[in-house]
Amino acid sequence: MQYVSTRGSAPALDFEGVTLAGLASDGGLYLPVEWPQFSPDEIRSMRGQPYWQVAVTVMRPFIGDSLSEAELIAVCKKVYGTKFAHAAIAPLVQLDQQHWLLELFHGPTLAFKDVALQLLGALFEIFLERRNERLTIVGATSGDTGSAAIHAVAGRTRTEIFMLHPKGRVSDVQRRQMTTVRAPNVHNLAIEGSFDDAQAHVKRMFTDADVTGVLNLGAVNSINWARLMAQVVYYFTSALQFGAPDRRVSYSVPTGNFGDVFAGYVAARMGLPIERLIVATNVNDILHRALSSGDYSAGGVTPTITPSMDIQVSSNFERLLYDAGGRDGAALAQQMRSFEATKAMQLTNRQAEGAAALFASCAVSQIETSRAVQQAYQASQQIIDPHTAVGLGAAHALAAAGALDPAVPVVTLATAHPAKFPDAVERAIGVRPSLPARVGDLFGREESYVDLAGDYAATRDYVLEHAAATGAA
Ligand SMILES: *Cc1c(COP(=O)(O)O)cnc(C)c1O
């Protein structure tokens, strides 16, 4: 399978190439040249298979020659056979007649990002071994990505990771999930300033010749195609349990960077009969405005009890604009350049109509989010995290408005374990969720991180001084 950039001018790459490259060199994001198709019979034949086996079937066409059949089976069995605390990996829980939860938080750091990052960590190692190279991963996190990425690469020999977090602005659980991992290839950097400042340092490092001249840099954010591909799998495993391809399912997805819900779009393009994909946002609602009125304009970020969805712009939305808009890279490059200059744009008619065929959207306020936590607890005895509650609140709101077919089940993606956000949950229902035993003594372990000033040079110099790796091993 070959991959092309949404902005049309970067060279096409194979799966191994896009996995190691992250962002395309023209500033675009990689997508496969065409969507693999599964016939109804092929989908039916996946029923009853374990998660790892569905993963092999769904990901096979995307990976092409980059992994042999034996390598793909081995990596899927290893990741989805040993790294998750639930044998189903992504179990369904019924809430009522129409609503279900898809629990995606059974990985090591209690958020859905583990499902893809555990695989990505293993893929990096395979490809780097083959090339005899090393990779220095530099990333910025407002919480969940950092811990999931660190757990995915800790202790590996060909990757090392520098993870920047805004000092004092991530939760205690989130910070400890990063800073208590003691491995020589893990470096935690607490940066003065906001998440956006940390993110800006990371972006600058990727274009700084002093850094790229000596280090082979890699990215783990959801612009990396391999992460989206891994997330397509749980749309298949869950829809199969409802009787796909012979019965349709809708999904409500708590959305920030548009990665998780775009994976649902990919599943639909491959032939999985998805009725609706609900893009659920908090008050940072750029995506809801874009999908409901075509107005894609960025404002400031309002901090909420769902920090992993507090975004200004959603990088992966560009993938939808490209695919739904007719795959015209040159036109999209121009549209994105003008957006980057003015922070605002209108969707074209073709983009808006292409999106409207599958997506619905809803913005959920903080009060509605707390109310959805309460409702799940009182009506169904389920303690849910606030991000999940945004998804469930959106599903309820659209169902009440008559926008959803009552005969079609609605699955809300449960993106984090409630114990990751205990304060917001306790405020809503008066019960403090406890951490599952598998995360161990998180609050008893020693933390390790360095404090750095907010300027770019401090971060760059630290990385250059402490990086063990050079591009060639
Ligand atoms: C990252 C994250 C999201 C947002 O997912 P995107 O793929 O960025 O849209 C939602 N909920 C939780 C708990 C997350 O960690």
Side-chain angles (χ1 to χ4, degrees), residues 111-113 144-145 222 227-228 231 253-261 308-309 316 385 387-388 415-416 421:
F112 84 94
K113 293 184 170 74
D144 292 341
T145 302
S222 62
R227 278 185 63 180
L228 301 194
Q231 291 168 204
V253 186
T255 297
N257 220 4
F258 205 74
D260 210 4
V261 75
S308 296
M309 298 160 64
N316 283 296
D385 111 282
H387 300 80
T388 308
T415 49
F421 303 94

Side-chain angles (χ1 to χ4, degrees), residues 171-188:
S171 79
D172 288 348
V173 173
Q174 289 177 320
R175 189 190 66 253
R176 285 182 164 274
Q177 282 184 319
M178 297 191 279
T179 59
T180 61
V181 176
R182 306 301 290 272
N185 67 333
V186 171
H187 307 267
N188 278 291

Side-chain angles (χ1 to χ4, degrees), residues 16 20 71 121-135 156-159 473:
E16 177 178 326
L20 294 173
E71 283 173 319
L123 291 175
F124 278 153
E125 206 70 4
I126 294 171
F127 294 147
L128 292 167
E129 192 74 40
R130 194 182 281 169
R131 294 174 170 214
N132 194 24
E133 285 178 6
R134 294 174 166 277
L135 192 68
R156 294 188 187 273
T157 52
R158 289 187 176 269
T159 38

Side-chain angles (χ1 to χ4, degrees), residues 22-23 117 120 138-140 145 199 202-203 219-225 227 257 315-316:
L23 198 68
L117 278 165
L120 186 63
V138 188
T145 302
Q199 175 92 314
V202 170
K203 286 196 178 148
V220 286
N221 48 12
S222 62
I223 56 163
N224 193 306
W225 165 257
R227 278 185 63 180
N257 220 4
S315 329
N316 283 296

